[in-house]
Amino acid sequence: MSVDTSVDFHHKQPIISVLQVSNRQAEDTTTFLQLDYTKIPLTIDNIWCVCFVFFGGEMVMPKVKIDATDRRILAALQRDARLSSAELAELVSLSASPCWRRVKRLEELGLVRGYHASINTEMLGYAITAFVQVALDQKDTDHMKAFEESITAFEQVIGCHCISGVYDYQLTILATDLAEFSEFARKNINGFPGVKDVCTSFVVKEVKAPVNLMVSR
């Protein structure tokens, strides 16, 4: 499957051809967009409006059908994923069996990707949380994939996003102290072949943690 995609930087309007195919599992239409990095200048600064670019790959944005009850289920599971089927069913005004079937459907669609515990990192001794932005010297698929595979293998890296702008990646890294962070960054970020520039910001205070998504819309 291929999608003809190009960007007209003179008019500053993205020109994207969209291919829609049937998705039997979702019972809906899935839109596939493919942005081929070879069709645009390899200067990420030129991408002024595309904040979700995935170089050399394919982005899938499924349009799944969920109703108000599904949204209440998602909201309840985000608040407390340890709810029993009976407790969850009572919260969303369903009987246990239909509620369980809805949860399984949400899992199969990929809307519920897993169930996790929220852990206090400071109580485990991680006094440092750093946001590290990384720019690569070469932005072709192979170099970016190599960096992603290398950096995401470390447990200290709890987040990695490919971003638009001057930098190519933003990492979230935990460390027990500045000395540990400095050693990790020196060996595994600054020392990675092809890294051109690194900018680090340290968290002074966590105001809001990224836990619950908006599901009411």
Side-chain angles (χ1 to χ4, degrees), residues 133-160:
Q133 294 182 318
V134 180
L136 301 183
D137 186 41
Q138 299 186 58
K139 307 178 192 299
D140 59 275
T141 305
D142 291 339
H143 283 85
M144 297 186 81
K145 183 178 180 181
F147 177 79
E148 291 169 8
E149 291 178 349
S150 173
I151 203 65
T152 55
F154 297 104
E155 292 183 346
Q156 296 94 324
V157 180
I158 62 171
C160 175

Side-chain angles (χ1 to χ4, degrees), residues 20-24 28-30 32:
Q20 292 187 326
V21 298
S22 174
N23 185 332
R24 291 183 179 178
D28 201 350
T29 301
T30 300
F32 293 85

Side-chain angles (χ1 to χ4, degrees), residues 28-192:
D28 201 350
T29 301
T30 300
T31 302
F32 293 85
L33 302 181
Q34 185 177 38
L35 182 61
D36 186 349
Y37 74 92
T38 61
K39 295 182 181 179
I40 61 176
L42 291 182
T43 303
I44 200 166
D45 300 314
N46 289 337
I47 308 174
W48 71 278
C49 61
V50 183
C51 298
F52 48 82
V53 175
F54 180 77
F55 286 90
E58 191 173 77
M59 171 174 278
V60 179
M61 297 183 294
K63 298 177 181 178
V64 295
K65 292 180 179 178
I66 61 173
D67 58 19
T69 302
D70 290 327
R71 295 179 188 277
R72 289 198 296 271
I73 290 173
L74 291 173
L77 289 175
Q78 285 193 114
R79 288 193 300 269
D80 186 1
R82 297 183 300 172
L83 290 168
S84 67
S85 296
E87 291 171 331
L88 179 60
E90 184 177 357
L91 282 175
V92 298
S93 303
L94 287 176
S95 57
S97 294
C99 183
W100 180 83
R101 287 195 294 269
R102 281 177 176 265
V103 171
K104 294 302 293 182
R105 176 178 177 269
L106 294 172
E107 291 174 350
E108 291 169 359
L109 291 175
L111 277 169
V112 177
R113 297 189 296 183
Y115 302 89
H116 311 281
S118 178
I119 298 175
N120 188 317
T121 57
E122 291 184 357
M123 292 184 70
L124 286 178
Y126 295 109
I128 301 297
T129 301
F131 296 121
V132 182
Q133 294 182 318
V134 180
L136 301 183
D137 186 41
Q138 299 186 58
K139 307 178 192 299
D140 59 275
T141 305
D142 291 339
H143 283 85
M144 297 186 81
K145 183 178 180 181
F147 177 79
E148 291 169 8
E149 291 178 349
S150 173
I151 203 65
T152 55
F154 297 104
E155 292 183 346
Q156 296 94 324
V157 180
I158 62 171
C160 175
H161 294 85
C162 183
I163 61 175
S164 63
V166 177
Y167 293 92
D168 303 309
Y169 292 95
Q170 176 161 303
L171 313 175
T172 305
I173 298 176
L174 296 179
T176 57
D177 53 36
L178 285 173
E180 181 181 275
F181 171 81
S182 178
E183 182 68 10
F184 175 83
R186 183 181 65 83
K187 286 184 177 180
N188 304 304
I189 302 177
N190 300 75
F192 186 86

